[in-house]
Amino acid sequence: MTTAGEAVTASESVTEGESYDFVVVGAGACGLVAALAAREAGKSALVLEKLDEPGGNTTLSTGSVPGAGTRFQREAGIDDSPARMVEDLLRTSGPHEAEELVSWMAESSAEVIEWLVDEHAVGLYLITDYKHVGHSVPRLHAPADRNGANLTADLVRACDRAGVTIRTRTPVAGLLVEADRVAGVTVDPVDGVRHDIRAEAVLLASNGFAASRALLERWIPVMAHTPYHGGAGSTGESIVWAEQLGAALANETAYQAYAAVATEAGDILSWTTVELGAVIVGPDGHRLGDESVGYSAFAEVIASVASESFTIMDQRIYDYVSRNEPRFVKIIDLGCVPEAPDVTALAALIGCDGQTLAGTLAAAAASAAAGTADEFGRTDLAGNGLQAPYYVCRTHPALFHTQGGVAVDQHARVVSTSGTPITGLYAGGGVAAGISGRDGAAGYASGNGLSTAVGLGYAAGRHVGR
Ligand SMILES: Cc1cc2nc3c(=O)[nH]c(=O)nc-3n(C[C@H](O)[C@H](O)[C@H](O)COP(=O)(O)OP(=O)(O)OC[C@H]3O[C@@H](n4cnc5c(N)ncnc54)[C@H](O)[C@@H]3O)c2cc1C
C-alpha cells in the first residue's frame, strides 16, 4: 500500500482495523451533505474534521445556496430553470475549464434544496426581496437569518439523526492507495494516535487553499498578500494529494474575494447594503468604481488601489438590513456603522474633504434621479440617491475562498489527466474545479461556493449510495 500526502505508510500506522463504506475529509456543507446522502442509501459514513468544530467556511458564509426551478420559486411566482441558471453563470464567468459542471450543478440544484428541506429539516428559504450578483431572478435559498452557522447546525443535526459519525480534531494526513485505487485515509487525531481507516470510497470535502500562502503563490499569486477572511482549515492539502495521484486540475486560478469586510468588527458588511444603493468611497472621498459588478469583482477592482474604503448608506438601507440581517445588527452594536446627520459630519467620520464627498454623492444622486448610468456605468442606484442622515462603515477588501481545484465528473469522481476517474476518489466544494471562470474574482456569482459544495456533495453521496 502506498500513500499520497504526508509520507505515511501502512506499517507506520499505530492502529488499524477501522473500516467504512464512505469516508469524508472535512465537515463543511459538502462533506455533511455527501455523508447524509450516502447514509440515506444505507452506507456507513464517517466524516473527519481537523478542527474543533464542524463547519469550515460554510459556517462563516451567509449560507446562500442557488436552486433553479424550486417549488419555493414557483410558490413565489418566479419563473426559473436550470438552463436560465447556466446562462446567468456563464455570462458572469466567461468561458472556462469546467463548463459541464455548471450544467450538472444547475440541473440538480432544485432537487438538492427540496431534499434538504423536505427530507432533512434543513432551514433554507428563498430570498425574494432582492437579487444577488450574477442572477437574473431570485434563486438563492438561505437560512432565515442568512447565517451559514445555522446551515451547518441543521446539517449536523440531520447527520446525527441519520447515523453519520462525525469526528472532530481528526486531521486526515494522507490517502491510502492500493492497487490503483484509493482505499482509505490516514488520520492523525489531535488527542489520539495516527492510524489508517479503510473505505470503499473517499470524498475530499476539505475546501480550497485560501489559507495556504504557498499554494496561493503557486496558483493565485496576486492574492497571496491580501487579507484572508475565511476558515483556518482551507489549507489545500487534499488538492495536492489528488494531484499527486494524477488528478487533472481546472480553474485553479479563480477565487472569491469580498469588497467590504467591516474592518473594526472583523466581519462581513452585508452586500445587501450595496445592492440597495450604498456606495463605496476611498479615503479621499471619491468612488472607486461601479460597485454593482458584485462584491467579488469589485474587491478585485479596488484591492490594488485601496487597502481601506468606506461604505456609505442612508436610513432606508440601514433600516432594511437591520430588520433582516442580525449579522448587520451585530456590526452596528459594535459601533462600526456610525450615523452622520449631514455630508460635513460624514466627511469628518471618513477623514476626507467635505466638498469632495458632497460632489461624489451629488453625482451619484443626479444619475439615480435621471435613471441614467453614473460615471462608472452603475445603473441600479435607487430613487434620488442617498439621503441624509447617512451611515458609514470602514471596510476593506479580502480573499474569501479559492474556486478551482481538481477536475470531477457529474458523480463528483476525481478525473485524472488521462480523462478517466480515479477509482475510489471523489471531490466536491472548494477542492473541486469551480464554476466561476478560469481566472480572478470577477467570474464569481453569489452562491457559486455552496453550489459545488452542496451539489457535488449530493452527487458523491448518491453515487456511493448506488
Ligand atoms: C465569509 C464568507 C462568506 C461566504 N458566503 C457564501 C455564500 O453565501 N454562498 C456561497 O455559495 N458561498 C459563500 N462563501 C463560500 C462558501 O462558504 C464555500 O465555498 C463553501 O462553504 C465551501 O464548502 P466546503 O464544504 O467545500 O468547505 P468548508 O465549509 O470550508 O468545509 C471544509 C472543512 O474541511 C476541513 N478540513 C480541511 N482540511 C482537512 C483535513 N486534512 N482533514 C480533515 N478536515 C479538513 C476544514 O477544517 C473545514 O471544516 C463564503 C465564504 C466566506 C469565507
Side-chain angles (χ1 to χ4, degrees), residues 25-31 48-51 53-66 170-173 205-207 229-231 233-235 237-238 241 256 268 327 400-401 403 428-431 444 446-451 453:
V25 185
C30 180
L48 299 163
E49 168 56 49
K50 72 177 168 192
L51 300 183
E53 302 288 338
N57 267 17
T58 301
T59 287
L60 299 176
S61 78
T62 60
S64 307
V65 190
T170 310
V172 172
S206 47
N207 208 3
H229 190 79
S234 303
T235 42
E237 56 271 38
S238 290
W241 302 334
Q256 184 212 345
I268 50 177
R327 197 168 190 165
F400 269 16
H401 71 281
Q403 267 284 291
V431 178
Y444 187 82
S446 295
N448 278 5
L450 283 167
S451 177

Side-chain angles (χ1 to χ4, degrees), residues 78-361:
I78 292 159
D79 181 23
D80 197 12
S81 66
R84 188 168 184 170
M85 178 167 159
V86 170
E87 202 183 309
D88 284 349
L89 295 191
L90 289 179
R91 189 183 53 249
T92 306
S93 68
H96 62 83
E97 296 157 5
E99 291 183 18
E100 283 180 311
L101 183 59
V102 182
S103 303
W104 300 329
M105 294 301 90
E107 278 155 19
S108 66
S109 61
E111 179 184 325
V112 186
I113 287 174
E114 291 179 14
W115 171 75
L116 285 171
V117 173
D118 296 340
E119 305 297 326
H120 295 288
V122 174
L124 289 171
Y125 305 89
L126 179 66
I127 302 174
T128 52
D129 37 13
Y130 58 90
K131 284 182 290 197
H132 274 92
V133 178
H135 299 279
S136 58
V137 292
R139 66 165 69 97
L140 293 191
H141 300 68
D145 60 359
R146 294 163 205 181
N147 180 355
N150 287 322
L151 175 58
T152 300
D154 282 355
L155 287 172
V156 167
R157 274 192 287 269
C159 282
D160 284 347
R161 281 193 298 270
V164 170
T165 306
I166 301 173
R167 209 174 283 168
T168 56
R169 295 166 66 81
T170 310
V172 172
L175 299 174
L176 300 179
V177 184
E178 205 173 58
D180 288 338
R181 63 164 294 132
V182 171
V185 296
T186 298
V187 294
D188 201 0
V190 173
D191 308 309
V193 287
R194 175 180 290 234
H195 63 282
D196 297 340
I197 301 174
R198 299 189 65 83
E200 288 298 312
V202 173
L203 169 68
L204 303 174
S206 47
N207 208 3
F209 54 91
S212 163
R213 177 72 57 85
L215 292 179
L216 286 174
E217 292 282 11
R218 180 178 169 197
W219 285 310
I220 314 178
V222 68
M223 280 286 122
H225 299 281
T226 300
Y228 170 55
H229 190 79
S234 303
T235 42
E237 56 271 38
S238 290
I239 299 176
V240 175
W241 302 334
E243 190 189 20
Q244 287 168 354
L245 289 179
L249 300 179
N251 293 337
E252 67 273 19
T253 51
Y255 60 92
Q256 184 212 345
Y258 194 77
V261 172
T263 304
E264 274 109 24
D267 199 356
I268 50 177
L269 178 71
S270 169
W271 199 248
T272 313
T273 55
V274 173
E275 288 173 318
L276 292 176
V279 297
I280 299 181
V281 301
D284 61 1
H286 288 292
R287 295 232 334 262
L288 298 163
D290 173 7
E291 301 88 351
S292 71
V293 294
Y295 47 74
S296 186
F298 197 60
E300 195 171 29
V301 170
I302 63 176
S304 56
V305 294
S307 54
E308 164 174 90
S309 53
F310 296 85
T311 304
I312 302 171
M313 65 201 87
D314 63 10
Q315 193 76 52
R316 174 184 63 87
I317 299 169
Y318 182 94
D319 287 347
Y320 177 86
V321 188
S322 312
R323 266 199 315 275
N324 289 288
E325 301 188 22
R327 197 168 190 165
F328 181 64
V329 176
K330 273 194 200 156
I331 293 176
I332 292 172
D333 290 346
L334 289 170
C336 301
V337 196
E339 180 180 347
D342 52 33
V343 178
T344 307
L346 184 62
L349 284 172
I350 293 172
C352 68
D353 175 61
Q355 282 193 340
T356 303
L357 186 62
T360 297
L361 295 182

